[in-house]
Amino acid sequence: MKKIISVFLSLVMIINVFALFSINDISAEAADYAAELRSKGFPESYIDSLVALHKKYPNWIFEPLNTNLDFATAVKGERKNHSQQLIQKSSGTSSSMYCNCSSCKKNGNYVIQEASNWVSASQKAVEYYMDPRNFLNEEGIFQFESTRYNGTQTQEGVEAILDGTWMHDSLISYYNTAGSYVTMKSKITYSDSIMKAANDSGMSAYYLASKIRQENGGSKATATAVKGTASPFQGIYNYYNIGAYSGAYDGLAWAAGYLRTNKTATLYSDYNSSTGKVSGTKTTLKSGQYMTWMANCGKYYRVRLYAETSSGYIAGRVGYILKSDLRTTYTGTSGSGWGRPWYTPHLSIYYGAKYIAQNYKTQFTGYLQKFNVNPESDTLYSHEYMANVAAAASESKTTYNAYKSAGILSITKTFSIPVFKNMPNDDTSEDTGSGSGSGSTSTATNTLPCVTGLKATGSDTKQIDLTWNKVSGASGYYVDIMKNGKYVRYGSTTSNKISVKGLNSFQEYTFRVKAYKNVSGTTYYGKYWVGVTYGTRAAKVSNFRSTGSNNSVIYLSWSKNSRATGYKVFKYDPSTKKDVLYKDIKGANNTTLSVTGLKNNTKYQFKIYAYYKGSVGTYNGYCSSALSASTKLNMVTMNSVTSPSKKRITVKWNKAWFSCTGYEVMWSTTSNFSSNFLSVYVKGQNTLSTTLNTAQSGRNYYVRTRVYTEKNGKKTYGSWSAVKTIKVK
């Protein structure tokens, strides 16, 4: 019995020792990370929350955004116009969150600023939503995530955000300006549209999806800005509610492009599409009459008149008006047009993303789009995307739920968190980075030599690895990174190497390092090693694909990397079993390539990577996987196309030099064969002519032919011959 007890006690001691080591390791790691956060510039009141998040999500990166603003001053600046800081009045909200100043509360009632229940937010409410520390948790942190493009985001993640709405896994369908419910001809889904908008605008796909859901999401498309039936803007869409200054109808007026007469003009009731002429009832319009676009009709627009009154927007007559009689400054794709009018959901999603990217460059988080406190902004406390003080926090929760549902919460993300001066309940003194370890600003004696041998040993898409020679007697090293022309502290390490993380892909960075040592409570520093510059790599080029081929050409395409200097495309050489450079393509926007001079009916393999030329070197992105694509069979040539008799066409062609099943001959009344076409299969390699029966006489027909082979019921085609035209007898 004693032996059993002795063994048991020994096991308990061993378990306790391991537990102690484990706890000590975790505590040491937390202490190191807390020190890293302090060295970056986070106040003490941020530390515990960020350490807890880091413990659960070690790949998350937290960066301080130093606003250089006093917190009380920032709150006062945001509240300069009370009507731009709104909160929804509901039974679940304390009345202390509503502003009760004489302008916002009259005769015992809160003044309704928007819709039926939005009132001005109190100072307490603005302070709460402006204080980042209230949202340093899993659900709140995403309002600080960058809205800039992230190539790791997936369409599945977007669909997770849209889950529960009518947009989830759905083709884009909508009411057009004529009132008909249609599906986009290109057959794209809402997530397709969002992914393309993100890629082409440089915006985060997840941010765009969250913004759409926050502004207009629901199980059905019933919100004013997306239902497509809101008079007088039928068939107009505004998925982000851009320009909705006092309601969704203002946003639709914005999305319609503010068409109006620039002089006295005439509205006609009828239009003849065959002659291009107008007729019918005439209505004289004064200069400045507003209208919304309905259709292009030659040199005229079909429009619906409208007027804005104190009770809302009122629809007027529908008719036709000369384009030249209208102001079109805010329509089209150039200048201030932004692709307006947005008469499909895709136009709204696509060009709306470009508008946000261009107009909110310095407001690159959801928080900054609500509270514009970035010191780089020229429009401090204004030019804000939404009036709702809780919008950023609400959208953050939507993003969190989507990430969680998609199983991608733990992947690397960077959060830019505002830091203010004199924040409530934060008495942290500023760490000057010199002097004693207690925070003294006295000048330390430089008793350590300068670090030598600083160099970059490699990089990844978001990381650069640095190393340097050890300094004898040093307790550790401080590493600084150049940002906006100034060095800022990145972190510290006791090792002579560090991986600098959270960087942009395809971008050069400059670093410097100095040694320090602690002696009797005082910290002494060496001099900085001269800065070293190095660049990050880029991820694989996305969407690398073949878009088509003929008998000697394969067409390649891929998605743009906006940071790239160019792309290198390689073609596999089976004789050497190596990938050989085929083309060095200069320019980030050049994303297509025709690979010519190929053999017919042959499979080829290609690879691609983007590259970036910096000031000190060229940095290659990761190479794509091999893409296989094949050329088609050699095309045949038509020798003659004649019309021997009424409603008949005789076609003759040359014989294919390789074995084939036969030939397909197609004829049509349209030159591109998009409609009104028929085809016939002529079997036999040696059968080189056929006679076609047409439906009409005296009309031009277009003819083409191609070779085909058939195996196990599946046809394989060569490329089409050139088209020939014949007027049928």
Side-chain angles (χ1 to χ4, degrees):
M1 184 66 180
K2 288 181 179 179
K3 189 174 183 179
I4 294 174
I5 293 173
S6 176
V7 172
F8 175 74
L9 290 174
S10 297
L11 288 171
V12 170
M13 290 178 67
I14 291 171
I15 291 169
N16 285 337
V17 168
F18 277 111
L20 179 61
F21 282 137
S22 178
I23 291 170
N24 287 341
D25 289 345
I26 293 172
S27 299
E29 182 183 348
D32 288 344
Y33 190 68
E36 180 181 331
L37 292 172
R38 293 186 186 99
S39 71
K40 285 185 173 184
F42 279 111
E44 199 64 32
S45 54
Y46 287 57
I47 302 299
D48 288 348
S49 297
L50 294 180
V51 167
L53 285 172
H54 174 73
K55 180 180 177 181
K56 188 169 184 179
Y57 302 105
N59 292 324
W60 288 7
I61 299 167
F62 305 112
E63 298 291 346
L65 175 65
N66 190 357
T67 66
N68 294 317
L69 297 172
D70 180 88
F71 184 73
T73 302
V75 171
K76 183 177 180 181
E78 288 288 341
R79 296 194 74 233
K80 184 176 181 180
N81 187 343
H82 288 197
S83 64
Q84 293 305 306
Q85 301 298 335
L86 305 184
I87 192 168
Q88 194 169 24
K89 189 175 181 296
S90 64
S91 58
T93 305
S94 169
S95 61
S96 64
M97 303 296 272
Y98 311 142
C99 182
N100 59 9
C101 73
S102 59
S103 298
C104 298
K105 189 176 184 181
K106 297 181 179 180
N107 301 320
N109 297 314
Y110 293 102
V111 176
I112 302 299
Q113 302 285 4
E114 186 177 311
S116 61
N117 60 347
W118 288 87
V119 300
S120 295
S122 67
Q123 179 173 324
K124 177 181 177 180
V126 176
E127 287 175 343
Y128 174 77
Y129 285 106
M130 281 191 71
D131 191 338
R133 299 169 302 180
N134 292 325
F135 305 98
L136 301 183
N137 53 60
E138 285 186 80
E139 293 187 354
I141 194 71
F142 289 97
Q143 65 184 286
F144 309 116
E145 186 184 16
S146 174
T147 61
R148 292 165 179 161
Y149 181 76
N150 184 338
T152 66
Q153 294 179 347
T154 65
Q155 191 162 353
E156 290 75 14
V158 170
E159 287 290 359
I161 294 173
L162 299 179
D163 193 17
T165 73
W166 85 95
M167 297 172 283
H168 177 57
D169 199 23
S170 296
L171 293 173
I172 294 181
S173 300
Y174 60 99
Y175 287 98
N176 61 22
T177 58
S180 298
Y181 193 71
V182 297
T183 298
M184 281 195 69
K185 292 181 179 178
S186 53
K187 304 292 184 184
I188 65 172
T189 64
Y190 289 94
S191 59
D192 287 332
S193 182
I194 291 170
M195 292 298 289
K196 180 169 177 56
N199 182 75
D200 291 0
S201 68
M203 295 291 292
S204 159
Y206 293 170
Y207 166 77
L208 295 178
S210 297
K211 173 65 71 177
I212 290 170
R213 178 161 186 157
Q214 168 69 20
E215 293 290 335
N216 289 297
S219 60
K220 296 182 179 180
T222 56
T224 300
V226 297
K227 64 183 180 180
T229 57
S231 178
F233 304 109
Q234 292 93 325
I236 301 296
Y237 298 85
N238 193 338
Y239 272 60
Y240 305 106
N241 271 345
I242 297 171
Y245 306 113
S246 61
Y249 279 91
D250 285 351
L252 289 175
W254 191 96
Y258 297 131
L259 281 177
R260 73 178 186 190
T261 51
N262 53 24
K263 57 186 176 182
T264 301
T266 302
L267 182 77
Y268 297 87
S269 63
D270 299 309
Y271 173 79
N272 188 317
S273 58
S274 298
T275 63
K277 294 183 179 180
V278 290
S279 60
T281 303
K282 298 181 181 180
T283 303
T284 301
L285 306 179
K286 295 180 180 179
S287 178
Q289 170 65 55
Y290 278 97
M291 61 200 69
T292 182
W293 176 94
M294 296 181 69
N296 291 330
C297 301
K299 61 183 179 180
Y300 295 88
Y301 284 142
R302 187 168 190 253
V303 298
R304 179 182 291 105
L305 307 182
Y306 72 84
E308 184 179 4
T309 69
S310 58
S311 58
Y313 289 87
I314 306 299
R317 294 186 179 185
V318 172
Y320 302 86
I321 189 170
L322 278 170
K323 297 176 183 178
S324 58
D325 287 345
L326 301 178
R327 178 190 71 174
T328 56
T329 306
Y330 304 108
T331 60
T333 57
S334 61
S336 55
W338 300 110
R340 292 177 285 178
W342 293 345
Y343 55 88
T344 72
H346 174 70
L347 289 173
S348 171
I349 293 169
Y350 183 80
Y351 285 105
K354 288 196 168 188
Y355 175 87
I356 296 170
Q358 179 64 31
N359 287 274
Y360 293 89
K361 287 182 178 178
T362 60
Q363 294 165 263
F364 57 89
T365 67
Y367 178 97
L368 292 174
Q369 289 190 5
K370 175 63 204 101
F371 303 112
N372 189 4
V373 294
N374 189 338
E376 297 180 5
S377 173
D378 296 329
T379 54
L380 210 62
Y381 310 135
S382 63
H383 188 259
E384 293 174 348
Y385 193 91
M386 49 266 192
N388 177 9
V389 292
S394 179
E395 290 174 12
S396 177
K397 187 173 182 179
T398 298
T399 303
Y400 164 78
N401 288 331
Y403 281 157
K404 184 177 181 180
S405 176
I408 53 176
L409 266 177
S410 60
I411 65 175
T412 300
K413 301 175 178 66
T414 299
F415 302 93
S416 186
I417 307 170
V419 172
F420 299 87
K421 297 177 181 178
N422 301 316
M423 298 189 73
N425 305 315
D426 189 356
D427 57 0
T428 304
S429 59
E430 184 177 356
D431 179 7
T432 63
S434 62
S436 69
S438 62
S440 167
T441 58
S442 61
T443 303
T445 304
N446 292 320
T447 60
L448 288 173
C450 179
V451 167
T452 60
L454 174 63
K455 63 182 179 180
T457 58
S459 66
D460 202 342
T461 58
K462 303 291 184 181
Q463 171 181 316
I464 294 176
D465 300 320
L466 304 175
T467 187
W468 54 90
N469 298 327
K470 290 184 178 180
V471 174
S472 179
S475 301
Y477 307 88
Y478 283 120
V479 180
D480 293 353
I481 184 172
M482 181 78 76
K483 288 187 176 181
N484 300 319
K486 296 180 180 179
Y487 280 109
V488 297
R489 180 65 43 79
Y490 171 77
S492 62
T493 178
T494 57
S495 172
N496 67 321
K497 60 184 178 180
I498 192 172
S499 294
V500 182
K501 300 179 180 181
L503 307 177
N504 293 323
S505 64
F506 267 9
Q507 184 171 328
E508 283 187 330
Y509 292 87
T510 301
F511 307 93
R512 66 181 186 179
V513 176
K514 70 178 179 181
Y516 71 89
K517 70 177 180 179
N518 298 315
V519 180
S520 301
T522 300
T523 303
Y524 298 94
Y525 302 93
K527 292 183 178 180
Y528 281 107
W529 173 260
V530 64
V532 62
T533 299
Y534 201 72
T536 51
R537 300 182 68 179
K540 293 180 181 180
V541 171
S542 62
N543 207 22
F544 184 43
R545 65 195 187 279
S546 170
T547 57
S549 67
N550 60 31
N551 61 311
S552 63
V553 181
I554 292 176
Y555 303 98
L556 303 178
S557 177
W558 56 91
S559 295
K560 180 178 74 173
N561 183 323
S562 59
R563 292 182 175 273
T565 302
Y567 310 90
K568 290 188 177 181
V569 178
F570 296 82
K571 183 163 72 73
Y572 180 73
D573 184 346
S575 63
T576 62
K577 297 183 178 180
K578 292 183 179 180
D579 295 310
V580 179
L581 179 64
Y582 176 79
K583 188 77 171 180
D584 183 351
I585 301 170
K586 305 293 194 302
N589 294 324
N590 296 322
T591 58
T592 59
L593 174 65
S594 299
V595 184
T596 60
L598 305 178
K599 296 180 180 179
N600 85 96
N601 198 30
T602 304
K603 181 183 287 188
Y604 292 87
Q605 285 189 343
F606 305 94
K607 292 182 181 178
I608 188 174
Y609 66 72
Y611 67 89
Y612 165 71
K613 285 189 176 181
S615 61
V616 300
T618 298
Y619 309 95
N620 295 330
Y622 286 100
C623 193
S624 70
S625 301
L627 169 69
S628 295
S630 299
T631 53
K632 293 181 178 179
L633 299 174
N634 266 327
M635 66 181 180
V636 294
T637 302
M638 287 189 295
N639 294 328
S640 65
V641 177
T642 59
S643 179
S645 59
K646 190 175 181 181
K647 293 185 180 182
R648 295 218 169 185
I649 300 174
T650 296
V651 185
K652 296 181 180 181
W653 57 88
N654 68 300
K655 178 182 175 181
W657 60 269
F658 50 86
S659 177
C660 66
T661 304
Y663 309 88
E664 180 187 10
V665 182
M666 181 177 288
W667 66 103
S668 175
T669 57
T670 56
S671 59
N672 61 1
F673 296 84
S674 61
S675 61
N676 298 329
F677 63 87
L678 292 171
S679 66
V680 64
Y681 290 96
V682 181
K683 288 189 176 182
Q685 183 178 359
N686 297 318
T687 306
L688 304 178
S689 67
T690 188
T691 298
L692 312 174
N693 295 318
T694 67
Q696 301 178 53
S697 292
R699 181 163 185 177
N700 283 340
Y701 277 82
Y702 303 88
V703 185
R704 61 184 181 179
T705 186
R706 62 181 176 179
V707 68
Y708 78 94
T709 58
E710 187 170 7
K711 186 175 182 180
N712 297 326
K714 182 179 180 181
K715 291 184 175 69
T716 301
Y717 297 96
S719 54
W720 287 108
S721 68
V723 177
K724 289 202 172 191
T725 308
I726 181 69
K727 188 171 184 179
V728 178
K729 291 182 179 179

